[in-house]
């Protein structure tokens, strides 16, 4: 028996499929991910496509990538390409199965004609206003359109004319003839086709009528032989409509299964809102590292494996699911902890001079790239008589549990010697500007005899250190549910990005964009892919380290 490549946790959809296959109800698994190319994908979409591609993988089936491109006003090729890149980035492959709803426009039109001929569709010529009025409400049944009983011939002729461009936008609409008093609003003669004189990113100006999403989606699934049409709960009420179309047309019936969408705390996920954040310049673009988009997360340095682990870990259910952002961050840390090279960088420096170390000497210390993974090799770390350490690693008057540097105390320099603080130098304002220390030169890679030194701090050699720009990212919103209040923009965190500098070990200057490092004791940082230049990297804080303090106590 082969071991699965990734941990498979069960969920109700997997259970349904397993039963169907066992009972012979279905003999294969075909799923699909059906994005509309009107924006970039976010972490919620990742949940959806991980599920769809994951199920196909688990059951030896296949998963299609189908763009539901029925609204030319909002869709374009930039989004198509970005979505493809995102799905690939997470490691999924649609193989031969890249599809577009627009591939089926001819077929959809024929089906519309078929429904008219069967007396199941009609052209309505009410104004949008009248239609809204006559639709009724949840408590009030709708009213039949005066055009509902048009003859088949008249309907066919009107549809043809609509298609030929004889009418302006909004003049007529093709509707399914179902039931204006149905308690399900979706069944009150829903629209099938509308007139829209718009250029389509794939069809050009071939069409001036476009199918509604609801008339395209289910039939797209049917054409492709999708056995499990998995979608989010808001489509539950649309299911009877999709089933109605499938049944009236007498075509292959996919099975729709709904699950709860992902809601992530401190985040908004509606495309409209994400677009507004971009357009109103609250962020630098769709790929701003604070965005919940996959392009943003990639730029931030989230590894794709972490996102897949997250999608697996949060599970799939039907109850509203609110997931805390920290769950995602923890997946990122777990992954990076295994793979990120360790480096040293100081963000808030204070100078240290080692009095007993020769002023003209530079030593190249061996430093492992990863403390638990010798395979990752070592790098050379320059050491000299002048260093920088982190300001908060020194306290003049430390509390009992503080094991780092203090007057008369010893601490280990990471990958280096043990030093002792001999003297504190202050400026005229009483601020500490320099620490004069001595090094125990017999402590490289070994413990001192007769005493125990608990604390370890990071450092860089002053002369060799390089200064670089660092962006400290934090949550984009400072309220748990930004959608809750009056205006989600008010929940924006003004401190979601702070720019500062860091002194880094020289080796890091050559770091390639997109590479992530752990700055030891500081956090995970990724070389920005947009704003870095050769020899001048800009570092994005990917995620903080948990328990920086706990380690030192
Ligand atoms: P909007 O919500 O802005 O209208 P959308 O997110 O529904 O847009 P689509 O491109 O239609 O955008 O989504 C593609 C698929 O991703 C759909 O099947 C949808 O159900 C799913 N999806 C979208 N958001 C989430 C989410 N937060 N959690 C899980 N699945 C989602
Ligand atoms: Mg949608």
């Amino acid at each position: 028996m082969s071991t699965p490549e990734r941990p498979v946790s069960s969920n109700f959809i997997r259970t349904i499929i397993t039963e169907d296959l066992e009972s012979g109800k279905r003999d294969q698994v075909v799923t699909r991910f059906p994005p509309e190319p009107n924006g970039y994908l976010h972490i919620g979409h990742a949940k959806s496509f991980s599920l769809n591609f994951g199920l196909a993988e688990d059951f030896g089936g296949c998963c299609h990538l189908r763009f539901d491109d029925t609204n030319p006003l909002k869709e374009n090729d930039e989004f198509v390409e970005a979505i493809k890149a995102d799905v690939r980035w997470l490691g999924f492959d649609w193989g031969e199965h890249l599809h577009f709803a627009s591939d089926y426009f001819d077929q959809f039109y024929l089906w519309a004609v078929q429904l008219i001929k069967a007396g199941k569709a009609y052209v309505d010529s009410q104004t949008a206003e009248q239609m809204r009025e006559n639709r009724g409400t949840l408590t009030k049944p709708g009213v039949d359109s005066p055009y509902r009983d048009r003859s088949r011939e008249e309907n066919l002729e009107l549809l043809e004319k609509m298609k030929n461009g004889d009418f302006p936008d909004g003049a007529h609409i093709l509707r399914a003839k179902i039931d204006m008093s149905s308690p399900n609003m979706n069944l009150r003669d829903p629209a099938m086709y509308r007139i829209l004189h718009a250029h389509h990113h794939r069809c050009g100006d071939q069409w001036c009528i476009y199918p509604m999403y609801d008339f395209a989606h289910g039939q797209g699934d049917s054409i492709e032989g999708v056995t499990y049409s998995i979608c989010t709960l808001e489509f539950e009420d649309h299911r009877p409509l999709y089933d109605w179309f499938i049944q009236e047309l007498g075509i292959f019936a996919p099975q729709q299964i709904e699950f709860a969408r992902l809601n992530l705390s401190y985040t908004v996920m509606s495309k409209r809102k994400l677009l507004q954040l971009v357009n109103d310049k609250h962020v630098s673009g769709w790929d701003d590292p604070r965005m919940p988009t996959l392009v943003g997360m990639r730029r931030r340095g989230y590894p794709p494996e972490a996102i897949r682990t997250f999608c697996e870990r949060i599970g799939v259910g039907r109850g509203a699911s609110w997931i805390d952002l920290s769950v995602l961050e923890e997946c990122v840390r777990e992954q990076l902890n295994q793979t990120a090279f360790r480096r040293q960088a100081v963000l808030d420096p204070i100078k240290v001079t080692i009095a007993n170390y020769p002023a003209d000497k530079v030593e190249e210390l061996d430093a492992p790239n990863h403390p638990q993974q010798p395979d990752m090799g070592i790098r050379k770390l320059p050491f000299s008589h002048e260093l920088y350490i982190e300001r908060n690693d020194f306290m003049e008057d430390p509390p009992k549990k503080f094991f780092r540097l203090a007057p008369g105390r010893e601490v280990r320099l990471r990958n280096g010697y043990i030093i002792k603080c001999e003297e504190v130098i202050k400026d005229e304002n009483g601020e500490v500007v320099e620490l004069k220390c001595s090094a125990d030169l017999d402590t490289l890679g070994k413990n001192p005899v007769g005493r125990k030194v608990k604390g370890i701090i990071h450092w860089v050699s002053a002369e060799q250190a390089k200064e670089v720009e660092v962006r400290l990212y934090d949550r984009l919103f400072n309220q748990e549910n930004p959608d809750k209040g009056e205006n989600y923009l008010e929940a924006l965190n003004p401190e979601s990005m702070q720019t500062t500098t860091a002194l880094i070990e020289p080796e890091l200057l050559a770091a390639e964009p997109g590479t992530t490092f752990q700055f030891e004791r500081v956090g995970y940082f990724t070389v920005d892919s947009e704003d870095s230049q050769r020899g001048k990297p800009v570092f994005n804080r990917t995620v903080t380290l948990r328990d920086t303090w706990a380690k030192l106590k």
Side-chain angles (χ1 to χ4, degrees):
M1 219 176 79
S2 68
T3 16
E5 271 175 36
R6 57 196 185 89
V8 174
S9 58
S10 206
N11 62 54
F12 80 99
I13 300 181
R14 204 168 263 137
T15 308
I16 292 174
I17 296 178
T18 308
E19 285 170 8
D20 285 357
L21 293 174
E22 278 169 9
S23 72
K25 183 177 165 195
R26 302 267 178 197
D27 58 6
Q28 58 172 340
V29 174
V30 180
T31 57
R32 86 284 172 270
F33 174 58
E36 188 185 345
N38 64 350
Y40 285 77
L41 297 184
H42 53 59
I43 183 76
H45 295 117
K47 171 175 179 175
S48 171
F49 72 76
S50 300
L51 174 64
N52 279 294
F53 279 96
L55 288 169
E57 256 171 41
D58 296 345
F59 289 99
C62 65
C63 179
H64 301 187
L65 176 61
R66 182 179 71 247
F67 289 93
D68 272 334
D69 53 350
T70 52
N71 182 4
L73 297 178
K74 291 187 172 169
E75 299 157 359
N76 66 47
D77 284 331
E78 177 197 341
F79 294 134
V80 170
E81 291 309 315
I83 289 170
K84 282 157 70 177
D86 281 344
V87 174
R88 267 195 219 106
W89 179 58
L90 278 205
F92 297 111
D93 184 6
W94 51 88
E96 307 275 278
H97 292 286
L98 175 64
H99 304 295
F100 293 83
S102 54
D103 292 341
Y104 314 136
F105 281 179
D106 287 325
Q107 178 64 69
F108 293 160
Y109 185 79
L110 292 176
W111 279 334
V113 169
Q114 184 183 332
L115 289 180
I116 291 178
K117 286 182 177 164
K120 300 288 182 180
Y122 64 99
V123 174
D124 196 357
S125 309
Q126 296 182 96
T127 62
E129 177 76 16
Q130 288 167 325
M131 254 181 269
R132 221 177 354 260
E133 192 88 332
N134 290 337
R135 206 166 165 241
T137 62
L138 284 174
T139 50
K140 199 177 94 193
V143 176
D144 283 0
S145 163
Y147 303 97
R148 201 172 194 261
D149 293 318
R150 268 178 167 147
S151 70
R152 283 159 212 209
E153 292 67 35
E154 194 186 351
N155 280 319
L156 288 172
E157 195 183 316
L158 281 169
L159 180 65
E160 171 96 25
K161 285 185 170 169
M162 283 166 65
K163 179 175 86 128
N164 291 342
D166 292 353
F167 304 117
D169 291 1
H172 306 281
I173 199 162
L174 182 72
R175 299 178 76 173
K177 198 171 183 175
I178 308 180
D179 179 4
M180 285 306 290
S181 55
S182 170
N184 183 343
M185 300 292 282
N186 293 298
L187 296 180
R188 293 189 186 174
D189 292 9
M192 291 165 57
Y193 264 98
R194 62 202 165 131
I195 303 172
L196 195 62
H197 292 266
H199 188 83
H200 188 279
H201 71 113
R202 296 187 78 239
C203 310
D205 296 314
Q206 189 192 344
W207 295 91
C208 61
I209 57 171
Y210 287 95
M212 304 303 292
Y213 181 84
D214 279 351
F215 186 61
H217 186 78
Q219 285 84 273
D221 284 346
S222 176
I223 290 171
E224 292 175 17
V226 167
T227 51
Y228 298 98
S229 176
I230 297 164
C231 61
T232 36
L233 282 169
E234 68 273 20
F235 292 102
E236 189 167 21
D237 288 349
H238 296 238
R239 179 163 19 107
L241 174 59
Y242 299 159
D243 289 348
W244 187 88
F245 282 133
I246 296 284
Q247 192 172 350
E248 294 301 330
L249 292 169
I251 55 178
F252 173 78
Q255 178 178 349
Q256 176 169 310
I257 306 174
E258 305 89 11
F259 69 97
R261 62 169 46 226
L262 164 68
N263 295 301
L264 199 58
S265 64
Y266 302 97
T267 310
V268 296
M269 270 195 276
S270 126
K271 280 188 211 159
R272 185 180 60 76
K273 289 177 183 163
L274 296 178
L275 185 64
Q276 189 185 11
L277 291 174
V278 173
N279 286 343
D280 296 356
K281 305 231 171 344
H282 297 292
V283 293
S284 66
W286 286 97
D287 69 346
D288 186 296
R290 293 163 293 181
M291 290 282 270
T293 53
L294 297 180
V295 278
M297 291 182 178
R298 175 162 42 184
R299 186 168 166 196
R300 173 101 170 229
Y302 284 15
E305 297 83 356
I307 296 174
R308 283 183 70 155
T309 303
F310 172 75
C311 292
E312 190 69 41
R313 198 168 285 175
I314 58 178
V316 180
R318 284 183 54 89
S321 79
W322 269 96
I323 306 289
D324 198 81
L325 191 54
S326 61
V327 177
L328 175 59
E329 289 172 339
E330 193 50 33
C331 293
V332 172
R333 278 189 201 103
E334 278 175 25
Q335 180 66 28
L336 290 177
N337 181 40
Q338 295 172 39
T339 54
F341 280 51
R342 272 41 173 186
R343 289 293 180 265
Q344 293 187 173
V346 175
L347 268 62
D348 183 14
I350 180 170
K351 192 167 153 184
V352 166
T353 12
I354 314 286
N356 62 332
Y357 198 86
D360 54 357
K361 184 172 171 187
V362 180
E363 203 174 347
E364 297 274 321
L365 304 178
D366 282 342
N369 286 324
H370 194 290
Q372 283 93 40
Q373 307 202 31
D375 289 357
M376 287 170 74
I378 55 163
R379 86 268 186 197
K380 295 287 181 190
L381 195 57
F383 181 86
S384 69
H385 80 296
E386 264 183 24
L387 314 171
Y388 289 110
I389 65 165
E390 211 75 62
R391 186 165 282 276
N392 66 10
D393 279 335
F394 170 78
M395 277 185 99
E396 202 170 4
D397 189 14
K400 210 163 170 232
K401 293 247 160 178
F402 187 85
F403 295 119
R404 293 168 277 166
L405 205 56
R409 298 250 192 115
E410 284 188 302
V411 75
R412 170 160 312 266
L413 295 176
R414 182 92 178 123
N415 298 310
Y417 302 98
I418 285 172
I419 60 169
K420 182 176 184 181
C421 180
E422 309 283 1
E423 192 186 344
V424 180
I425 316 264
K426 297 182 180 173
D427 64 10
E428 61 271 22
N429 303 319
E431 185 160 351
V432 178
V433 290
E434 187 183 334
L435 304 172
K436 293 212 180 287
C437 299
S438 61
D440 181 342
L441 297 174
D442 198 29
T443 53
L444 199 57
K446 57 183 177 191
N447 287 325
V449 186
R451 63 198 201 277
K452 217 172 173 149
V453 176
K454 276 193 177 170
I456 303 178
I457 63 172
H458 60 278
W459 53 278
V460 288
S461 173
E463 205 183 306
Q464 287 79 22
K466 309 288 177 193
E467 193 172 302
V468 291
E469 181 181 329
V470 162
R471 295 167 184 169
L472 302 177
Y473 289 111
D474 202 344
R475 299 173 174 192
L476 186 52
F477 294 93
N478 54 20
Q479 280 171 30
E480 205 166 331
N481 180 359
D483 280 323
K484 210 157 124 198
E486 287 283 288
N487 180 355
Y488 74 101
L489 291 175
E490 283 165 16
L492 277 168
N493 174 9
E495 291 177 356
S496 61
M497 176 174 108
Q498 288 177 330
T499 304
T500 179
T501 56
L503 293 164
I504 56 171
E505 50 177 285
E507 202 267 350
L508 272 176
L509 266 201
E512 291 290 329
T515 331
T516 305
F517 298 91
Q518 186 194 95
F519 290 178
E520 288 190 273
R521 302 182 59 247
V522 180
Y524 292 97
F525 289 77
T526 300
V527 184
D528 189 70
S529 49
E530 288 296 311
D531 299 332
S532 298
Q533 290 163 19
R534 186 168 271 280
K536 206 168 170 247
V538 171
F539 284 90
N540 295 331
R541 183 168 69 196
T542 308
V543 67
T544 52
L545 288 178
R546 209 185 25 169
D547 294 343
T548 312
W549 272 77
K551 228 190 287 174
L552 296 159
K553 276 176 194 164

